[in-house]
Amino acid sequence: LVLLFNSIMFLLTHFYIDYNNLNNIAIANTLAVDFIDGNYEVTIQILDLKKDANGNNDSEKDVIYKGSGKTITNAIRNVSLSYPKELYLGHLSIVIIGKDLINSNLEELFEYFIRTPAVRNDFYVLVNSTGKASEILDSPKSAFPSKELVTTLEISAKEVGATTKVNMEEFINAYINDTITPIIPNIKKDNDITTLNGIVAVTVVLGAFVAVY
């Protein structure tokens, strides 16, 4: 059943991007989600391709867009309203969760990704257990923070053993399994320096999420 689900998601994702002009879509590679004062705040890192005079891809850089709303769907839609291209989340590499979100409203985050077929769930999940998820992306010292985060996470998990890799599908499956405590890598930022810092275990107490750092 899981294999069938993944196959369907793969076909839907590739069908979507193949039939949309690449010049008209904005490819998001990192999403940070916070829950502040009853609203969801999203910070999205978008790959911005620059073309030369002949129309060929000349350079690329990442740009940051933000949006907020009562739901995650509304917050992401509000980002789309401020960006001239159609936002595409099918190539996300990382989703970062803020402290307030992981302690309160994880289920809506799960529901969004389960109900959005164009978004694959094989991207890595991280949490900033001491602050906002958006802080991780607001870094003037990194042109490609998502690429650096993926590389650092994979090396740290495989060679150093200081943390672990968890994708969204694994995180959701652990959450719905009563015998498993979900864990995700912890990330923090001090003086514009971003570092991985152990793991966070997420438990449910009296119907509320509690993150154990």
Side-chain angles (χ1 to χ4, degrees):
L1 183 60
V2 173
L3 180 60
L4 177 61
F5 175 82
N6 289 337
S7 298
I8 293 173
M9 292 299 101
F10 177 85
L11 291 173
L12 286 173
T13 299
H14 284 73
F15 177 85
Y16 182 92
I17 196 168
D18 286 344
Y19 284 87
N20 281 269
N21 191 325
L22 288 175
N23 292 327
N24 296 325
I25 64 173
I27 300 176
N29 50 37
T30 308
L31 170 66
V33 187
D34 292 293
F35 188 68
I36 308 295
D37 296 329
N39 285 318
Y40 291 91
E41 297 182 0
V42 299
T43 304
I44 303 178
Q45 187 181 72
I46 298 171
L47 180 63
D48 187 27
L49 298 176
K50 299 294 184 180
K51 295 183 178 297
D52 58 23
N54 297 320
N56 299 315
N57 290 336
D58 181 45
S59 63
E60 63 180 36
K61 67 175 183 178
D62 284 350
V63 295
I64 301 294
Y65 276 80
K66 298 176 180 285
S68 62
K70 287 297 183 182
T71 67
I72 295 176
T73 300
N74 288 340
I76 292 176
R77 183 180 298 121
N78 288 334
V79 173
S80 299
L81 294 177
S82 62
Y83 196 78
K85 297 181 180 181
E86 181 180 355
L87 189 61
Y88 178 65
L89 302 179
H91 284 294
L92 281 174
S93 57
I94 287 180
V95 168
I96 305 168
I97 303 170
K99 176 182 179 180
D100 289 337
L101 177 59
I102 200 170
N103 282 310
S104 57
N105 287 65
L106 271 180
E107 286 188 345
E108 177 151 349
L109 181 72
F110 293 159
E111 184 176 354
Y112 172 79
F113 287 109
I114 291 173
R115 295 179 179 273
T116 307
V119 182
R120 299 176 300 178
N121 286 330
D122 58 353
F123 51 81
Y124 294 133
V125 187
L126 302 169
V127 59
N128 181 4
S129 63
T130 60
K132 297 176 63 175
S134 61
E135 295 174 0
I136 306 302
L137 296 185
D138 294 334
S139 175
K141 295 185 177 181
S142 177
F144 299 98
S146 66
K147 293 180 181 180
E148 293 181 5
L149 284 177
V150 169
T151 301
T152 302
L153 178 62
E154 292 179 343
I155 292 175
S156 180
K158 182 178 180 180
E159 299 182 9
V160 182
T163 186
T164 186
K165 297 181 299 181
V166 179
N167 64 39
M168 180 59 80
E169 182 177 350
E170 292 169 338
F171 191 37
I172 294 174
N173 287 339
Y175 164 73
I176 63 178
N177 189 330
D178 293 337
T179 64
I180 300 176
T181 298
I183 59 173
I184 52 177
N186 186 36
I187 190 168
K188 67 176 183 178
K189 183 175 180 180
D190 291 317
N191 298 322
D192 286 332
I193 303 300
T194 301
T195 58
L196 292 170
N197 185 32
I199 62 174
V200 172
V202 182
T203 60
V204 179
V205 178
L206 298 179
F209 291 98
V210 177
V212 182
Y213 310 122

